Amino acid sequence: MKTYDVVIVGGGIIGGSVAFDLARRDLRVAVLDRQELMREASWAAAGMLSPAPDCPAAIPLVPLGRASLTLYPIFVDAVEDASGLRTGFHTGGAVEVICHGDAERELSTLVALHHGLGLACEPLRMDEARDMEPALGRDARAAVFLPDECSVEPRALTSAVFAAAASAGAALCPGVEVSSLALDGKKCIGVKTSGGETFHAARVVLAAGCWSSQIPEAASYAPTLPVRGQMVALRHCGTPIRHVLRSERGYLVPRGVESPQTIVVGSTIENAGFEKRVTSGGIEKILAAANELVPELAKAEIIETWCGLRPGSPDQLPILGPVDVDGLIFATGHYRNGILLAPVTAKLIGEWIAERRPSLDWEAFSPLRFPRANADRSATASSPL
Ligand SMILES: Cc1cc2nc3c(=O)[nH]c(=O)nc-3n(C[C@H](O)[C@H](O)[C@H](O)COP(=O)(O)OP(=O)(O)OC[C@H]3O[C@@H](n4cnc5c(N)ncnc54)[C@H](O)[C@@H]3O)c2cc1C
């Protein structure tokens, strides 16, 4: 019989970061993944660390994103120290440009939104923006500098996180598919695998990305859904791009500054079910946005294309914390921000498991909001008019 203090379902950046935190607290931890570790959304990500909301629904996430960005340097130091591996963490800010619509109005809305949320945002004159990014195209009509934003290389980071977790004592178990939770009444006592094994644990952390909703007993708490994102990597020999560069239509994330430079370009946001497929329409859209931002990129070589499934949730907010089944904890639904939110997620889950006292208010992200909303809907539907 396999027995641990904590079993984590899912070997992406979230499962790995939680495992590293818990193993450092001297808990016996196992991470189970149905395939090789780190092959899904965490492998596909661009690696922008941006706490700015990309739509109104994401505004409640900003405090969590800011907290996680603050933790990043300490997190990266701990991971790099424990693993001996690099993570590609890069500070230096991002430049966001506006190419379409009423640029001046969009600019003041963007600045007001950032300042209202406590995020640093400096309007730039276009000559200043071109000094910072000489390759910027002529379609850019307004620009801001976001000095606190950072980036990381998600594949390097995730590998380093798992190496760090293993060096702290976590057991890594690829090729183990969880088919259901092991329940004893209202208590979760472990997980059952499709191979017929049971892993016993006092706590189970569900971090199975967009597949979390496929574990039957978890679906009502974590109604996650896949949101496909396609990506392209370019080999760029022209004027180096120094910052993460974003427009309304897409983004460029430079890896290093030396020529030839690898530029990661993204992305699409598609409801295509669980189908992982790169499409010509998706790539066309991404490249059009890239070439508009930096026209020199039209000459760059395409070196890789790929896609991943973001773990979306119905309200676009993550799903974090305990539920009314003792021992069951969720860490999923991170949608477009799982790389950014990994340090704070690991910290809060670790604090909850070890001390029952998370240091931030995470009520807005409670998995219980979904069964409660369903119960409210049923009560309204059955109440007499
Ligand atoms: C194209 C793209 C660009 C992105 N860019 C950014 C970015 O710039 N910044 C940012 O912060 N975020 C970004 N994201 C979002 C980020 O990648 C995700 O939020 C994050 O990776 C989610 O991590 P995860 O560990 O929850 O899920 P995943 O990495 O998907 O891991 C889930 C794991 O669970 C395993 N699993 C599933 N079911 C089972 C089961 N039954 N039993 C055992 N194992 C199971 C899977 O095999 C998988 O390994 C991007 C995502 C995509 C797709």
Side-chain angles (χ1 to χ4, degrees), residues 248-293:
E248 309 92 310
R249 295 191 174 168
Y251 53 78
L252 309 176
V253 185
R255 303 275 191 247
V257 284
E258 256 128 64
S259 182
Q261 205 181 16
T262 298
I263 310 286
V264 172
V265 190
S267 179
T268 58
I269 300 179
E270 302 165 84
N271 296 315
F274 289 93
E275 190 178 274
K276 281 206 293 174
R277 187 175 297 176
V278 174
T279 65
S280 70
I283 298 303
E284 182 187 29
K285 183 173 169 277
I286 293 169
L287 293 179
N291 297 342
E292 179 181 65
L293 262 170

Side-chain angles (χ1 to χ4, degrees), residues 9-16 32-50 154 176-179 207-212 214-215 227-231 251 253 267-268 306-311 331-341:
V9 185
I13 188 66
I14 299 298
L32 316 184
D33 200 295
R34 63 181 177 182
Q35 52 177 336
E36 260 181 71
L37 302 164
M38 338 167 225
R39 297 304 296 169
E40 295 294 350
S42 308
W43 175 88
M48 290 177 291
L49 304 179
S50 168
V176 179
E177 180 175 43
V178 171
S179 53
C210 67
W211 297 271
S212 300
Q214 294 193 335
I215 295 173
V227 183
R228 188 168 73 191
Q230 302 186 39
M231 300 286 291
Y251 53 78
V253 185
S267 179
T268 58
W306 69 93
C307 70
L309 301 177
R310 305 176 184 94
T332 188
H334 292 78
Y335 189 37
R336 299 189 76 186
N337 294 296
I339 305 296
L340 169 68
L341 295 174

Side-chain angles (χ1 to χ4, degrees), residues 45-332:
M48 290 177 291
L49 304 179
S50 168
D54 53 8
C55 63
I59 288 176
L61 197 52
V62 172
L64 201 67
R66 287 178 60 191
S68 208
L69 188 60
T70 305
L71 290 172
Y72 239 97
I74 310 162
F75 176 71
V76 158
D77 277 353
V79 166
E80 291 188 347
D81 273 1
S83 66
L85 299 172
R86 309 294 299 163
T87 59
F89 179 60
H90 184 72
T91 56
V95 173
E96 185 157 336
V97 303
I98 298 161
C99 301
H100 300 277
D102 182 344
E104 280 312 310
R105 211 178 65 196
E106 297 290 330
L107 180 83
S108 35
T109 309
L110 192 68
V111 173
L113 176 72
H114 278 73
H115 289 173
L117 294 166
L119 298 167
C121 176
E122 301 164 11
L124 295 172
R125 293 192 316 268
M126 285 318 295
D127 61 315
E128 292 174 323
R130 291 204 165 81
D131 279 349
M132 291 175 82
E133 283 300 344
L136 197 57
R138 280 210 233 123
D139 287 343
R141 296 188 351 228
V144 292
F145 180 48
L146 307 164
D148 296 338
E149 294 201 3
C150 304
S151 66
V152 73
E153 293 180 23
R155 296 177 194 178
L157 172 73
T158 313
S159 298
V161 162
F162 276 102
S167 80
L172 308 183
C173 310
V176 179
E177 180 175 43
V178 171
S179 53
S180 63
L181 303 176
L183 296 173
D184 179 6
K186 269 295 207 185
K187 196 169 162 37
C188 182
I189 54 167
V191 296
K192 295 180 181 168
T193 73
S194 50
E197 259 186 304
T198 299
F199 284 70
H200 290 269
R203 308 255 187 269
V204 171
V205 177
L206 215 108
C210 67
W211 297 271
S212 300
S213 55
Q214 294 193 335
I215 295 173
E217 304 81 358
S220 62
Y221 302 109
T224 51
L225 37 115
V227 183
R228 188 168 73 191
Q230 302 186 39
M231 300 286 291
V232 179
L234 300 175
R235 185 168 176 273
H236 170 53
C237 298
T239 315
I241 296 169
R242 300 169 186 162
H243 303 87
V244 169
L245 205 46
R246 280 202 297 270
S247 73
E248 309 92 310
R249 295 191 174 168
Y251 53 78
L252 309 176
V253 185
R255 303 275 191 247
V257 284
E258 256 128 64
S259 182
Q261 205 181 16
T262 298
I263 310 286
V264 172
V265 190
S267 179
T268 58
I269 300 179
E270 302 165 84
N271 296 315
F274 289 93
E275 190 178 274
K276 281 206 293 174
R277 187 175 297 176
V278 174
T279 65
S280 70
I283 298 303
E284 182 187 29
K285 183 173 169 277
I286 293 169
L287 293 179
N291 297 342
E292 179 181 65
L293 262 170
V294 172
E296 278 184 40
L297 288 178
K299 296 195 200 112
E301 180 189 357
I302 296 176
I303 51 174
E304 191 183 350
T305 60
W306 69 93
C307 70
L309 301 177
R310 305 176 184 94
S313 72
D315 55 12
Q316 300 189 21
L317 297 177
I319 301 168
L320 301 177
V323 292
D324 48 5
V325 174
D326 193 24
L328 178 60
I329 298 137
F330 286 80
T332 188

